[in-house]
Amino acid sequence: KARVERSLMRKLKIAAFMPHPDDTEILVGGTLLKYKAQGHDVHVVIAMDGRRGRGHLPDSVSWQEIVAIRHEEARRACAILGVEPIFLDIEDHRLLDDRDCYEKVITAMESLNPDVVFTCAPNDYHNDHRCLSRLVLNSAWAPVFFAETSCGVDFNPDFYVDITEFIETKIEMARQHQSQFTEDPKETIEIVNRFRALQCRRKEIRYAECFKLYKRFEWVKAYELLPHDDYELPEKIVPTTERN
């Protein structure tokens, strides 16, 4: 109880900038659920419109219908988290490090003015993931944490978040993306998050998500902002709108 009360002394604004509908749940779902449970303000930004994420939908379904389906699935998943997603609606596979895309990302960043940002790793498997990572880094003044790559390929974490308490809810969030999964995502999520928990070497941690911090001036100790029960929140938080 004392640890939760300590977390509530300073309410953080958390923003997850993720490329496609379903990336949020798979990569950072447990961590966002933990932040929410500790009373922090959580936001989800989805950059792409999902039109090329046909999954197992038949060819007769138009891309406009796919976008509507992916939006609705994202809303259902985020409703479990207790938030309404923000859609930037950039066309799938067309995210570029250009002025138009940058304006959409930085406008959302400035509007939210988060204390902590999560996004994809800069070496992830998909161009949309890699490009969004760069755009977020270039628009965020707050500390940025990279979620692990798909199945952890070429990703060596710096920090771990115990999500044991939230694993079933995370799986339920992922299951809302029914158009994407031909099989239940439960096994994949459990395997990846169980493996990361084993790296923590603590019996009480059964499932964990892992991250790398983008280290830069003023944020070399930003790991204190992760939802770890034993950390006191730092005194100084520099909002996005105060960047030079």
Side-chain angles (χ1 to χ4, degrees):
K1 181 179 178 181
R3 287 196 295 267
V4 173
E5 288 176 350
R6 199 159 58 231
S7 295
L8 290 174
M9 289 175 63
R10 183 184 293 269
K11 187 175 181 179
L12 297 175
K13 184 178 287 187
I14 313 301
F17 280 73
M18 290 290 144
H20 308 101
D22 77 10
D23 287 324
T24 301
E25 294 73 22
I26 294 169
L27 297 177
V28 297
T31 298
L32 297 185
L33 285 163
K34 190 166 188 174
Y35 272 122
K36 192 74 172 178
Q38 292 182 352
H40 299 294
D41 189 10
V42 175
H43 299 269
V44 173
V45 179
I46 301 173
M48 318 309 295
D49 63 10
R51 71 176 67 188
R52 290 186 173 82
R54 181 171 294 277
H56 56 80
L57 295 173
D59 292 342
S60 58
V61 178
S62 69
W63 70 263
Q64 293 91 342
E65 291 173 310
I66 294 174
V67 170
I69 290 170
R70 305 286 316 266
H71 277 204
E72 179 56 31
E73 289 174 343
R75 288 191 181 97
R76 289 203 305 267
C78 284
I80 296 172
L81 177 61
V83 305
E84 177 68 24
I86 298 168
F87 298 102
L88 302 187
D89 279 333
I90 301 170
E91 183 179 346
D92 274 6
H93 299 188
R94 298 297 187 271
L95 186 62
L96 299 171
D97 195 352
D98 64 7
R99 181 62 181 262
D100 289 342
C101 293
Y102 180 74
E103 283 293 338
K104 290 189 176 184
V105 173
I106 196 171
T107 297
M109 188 73 70
E110 291 180 335
S111 175
L112 292 174
N113 193 25
D115 299 307
V116 186
V117 177
F118 291 87
T119 194
C120 293
N123 64 325
D124 209 351
Y125 80 109
H126 195 298
N127 180 63
D128 288 342
H129 292 221
R130 297 190 300 271
C131 189
L132 181 63
S133 183
R134 293 193 300 273
L135 291 172
V136 168
L137 283 182
N138 290 338
S139 61
W141 194 248
V144 176
F145 287 92
F146 298 132
E148 73 173 305
T149 59
S150 182
C151 292
V153 174
D154 194 27
F155 189 84
N156 294 313
D158 292 326
F159 305 106
Y160 299 78
V161 174
D162 178 8
I163 64 164
T164 305
E165 182 181 354
F166 305 100
I167 187 66
E168 293 302 325
T169 309
K170 170 178 175 166
I171 292 169
E172 187 60 26
M173 288 172 63
R175 281 173 171 160
Q176 302 309 306
H177 297 275
Q178 297 174 358
S179 67
Q180 294 302 290
F181 299 113
T182 55
E183 299 178 356
D184 192 330
K186 176 181 173 69
E187 182 178 18
T188 300
I189 290 173
E190 287 184 338
I191 288 173
V192 172
N193 292 152
R194 179 67 185 130
F195 170 66
R196 293 309 188 184
L198 289 172
Q199 294 178 324
C200 297
R201 298 281 291 174
R202 291 175 60 179
K203 291 182 180 180
E204 66 272 24
I205 300 179
R206 296 288 300 170
Y207 297 98
E209 289 175 346
C210 60
F211 304 96
K212 289 183 71 69
L213 171 64
Y214 179 64
K215 299 179 183 68
R216 58 183 175 185
F217 179 65
E218 290 198 302
W219 291 121
V220 292
K221 290 184 65 180
Y223 53 81
E224 294 175 337
L225 298 171
L226 288 171
H228 189 299
D229 295 333
D230 296 330
Y231 285 140
E232 293 279 3
L233 292 174
E235 292 297 322
K236 182 181 180 183
I237 299 177
V238 180
T240 298
T241 53
E242 290 184 14
R243 67 180 184 278
N244 292 328

